[in-house]
Amino acid sequence: MYGATTEAAQTADERQEARADRRQPSPEQPDRSLTWRTLGLDAMASMLVVSLRRLGRTGFTAQCQWPRFHPLNERAIAVAHHPLIMVESTRQIAVALERGHLSAEGLAPLEPVAVSLGLQPRVWPTERGSATDVAVRVSVSDHATQAGELAFYRITAEYRHAGTPFGSCTMRMVRPAHLGAPCALAVPPPALLHPPAAALGAAADTDVMLARAPQGRLAIVPRDPRHPVLTAGRTARLPAPAVLEAARQAALLTSGMTAAAVAGLRVELRAPVPPRGALVEVTPESEGFRVLVTVSDQVVALGTVALLRP
């Protein structure tokens, strides 16, 4: 009798678990709709995220492949991936989450207004073959809606390679309209001189985001206004990743240190940043530099760059 009762209870539990499985996506099954088109990319070669699975109500896991010949990477036998590949991967994961899990299908993707990176240069992955396989643990918090539509959330992605954690990225995502009205249009000063790419930790001249203005000031003047990663062809304002890269380059140029010294990056947009002419000021701090981006004396972005001291 006891055995029959236990078996019946187990059968009932199994039926209940099966119903629960039908209500929620299986953590073992990746999103079927994840393609370069659903991520809003221009080509398959730009796709960094290859799978996304739900782990719980607010948790997910993703797999990325970082190609050795990514536009931001150097062309060398052993390539240390550019830190902004982690930013672009997190942004693509965010798009996949919005369209597959956060009830934002058919809406324009939200955009990052604050980005924070934590890097571990000593274990940062280096690629000698074709691509680096990266595992990502993702969490979503501070989720909010307005008029029934997704309006705001925070995404945190923790990255591992071969079982070793090497970096994390946090983004605060909002609707573009929440960035506020554009500030006064910045006009690039005359007699601009672009520093060499190597002095900025960039792989090529087309990745240079800065130019020297009179009195030695630095201005954001991208060498390639339609860079496929940094500006993504935008002409009205710079996205947060482009401002983040400008801050990184300014810190490296000022300090004379190499790209491998960067241990952390953070930037927050206070207003839309014009595509050309915003001034960048870096001030030394104990662990790196504080960065201010201004237009007509108005602060449009601020951040920090943490550096490993020799």
Side-chain angles (χ1 to χ4, degrees), residues 15-288:
R15 287 197 297 267
Q16 184 175 357
E17 290 175 359
R19 288 194 295 270
D21 288 342
R22 286 194 293 270
R23 288 195 297 268
Q24 290 189 355
S26 169
E28 300 299 327
Q29 188 165 1
D31 288 352
R32 297 181 181 276
S33 60
L34 196 59
T35 68
W36 62 274
R37 288 188 176 89
T38 59
L39 292 177
L41 302 173
D42 294 331
M44 185 183 298
S46 301
M47 185 173 175
L48 299 175
V49 182
V50 296
S51 72
L52 178 68
R53 296 176 175 86
R54 180 184 286 275
L55 287 180
R57 191 170 64 88
T58 61
F60 302 84
T61 181
Q63 293 290 326
C64 296
Q65 285 188 341
W66 291 354
R68 175 183 172 191
F69 294 114
H70 188 274
L72 290 174
N73 285 344
E74 295 180 355
R75 298 298 185 259
I77 295 176
V79 171
H81 290 288
H82 194 288
L84 259 69
I85 294 181
M86 189 161 65
V87 176
E88 175 60 12
S89 296
T90 305
R91 189 196 68 81
Q92 291 184 20
I93 291 172
V95 174
L97 288 174
E98 291 172 26
R99 296 183 174 179
H101 300 277
L102 300 182
S103 303
E105 180 69 31
L107 302 175
L110 276 66
E111 297 185 11
V113 293
V115 182
S116 179
L117 295 185
L119 311 173
Q120 298 188 39
R122 292 180 179 87
V123 293
W124 187 260
T126 297
E127 182 56 53
R128 290 178 171 83
S130 59
T132 302
D133 293 321
V134 176
V136 194
R137 290 291 296 266
V138 182
S139 62
V140 177
S141 60
D142 301 336
H143 180 279
T145 60
Q146 291 183 356
E149 293 185 355
L150 181 66
F152 171 91
Y153 67 96
R154 189 184 309 274
I155 178 174
T156 299
E158 300 175 352
Y159 288 78
R160 289 176 174 262
H161 172 56
T164 301
F166 65 86
S168 63
C169 178
T170 298
M171 287 183 173
R172 182 155 52 91
M173 311 293 291
V174 303
R175 288 284 165 205
H178 293 176
L179 289 172
C183 59
L185 183 63
V187 178
L192 293 172
L193 177 64
H194 290 281
L200 302 169
D205 288 341
T206 53
D207 300 338
V208 171
M209 295 293 295
L210 301 175
R212 285 200 180 276
Q215 289 82 48
R217 306 187 74 182
L218 293 175
I220 300 179
V221 183
R223 289 291 295 265
D224 182 1
R226 295 186 175 274
H227 192 283
V229 179
L230 298 175
T231 59
R234 292 184 180 177
T235 57
R237 54 186 170 82
L238 286 179
V243 181
L244 190 74
E245 175 62 6
R248 187 187 76 97
Q249 292 185 9
L252 292 178
L253 180 65
T254 303
S255 67
M257 302 180 74
T258 66
V262 177
L265 295 166
R266 183 182 66 84
V267 73
E268 179 182 351
L269 303 187
R270 295 294 181 87
V273 180
R276 290 169 56 87
L279 296 176
V280 181
E281 178 183 348
V282 292
T283 304
E285 293 185 328
S286 58
E287 296 183 354

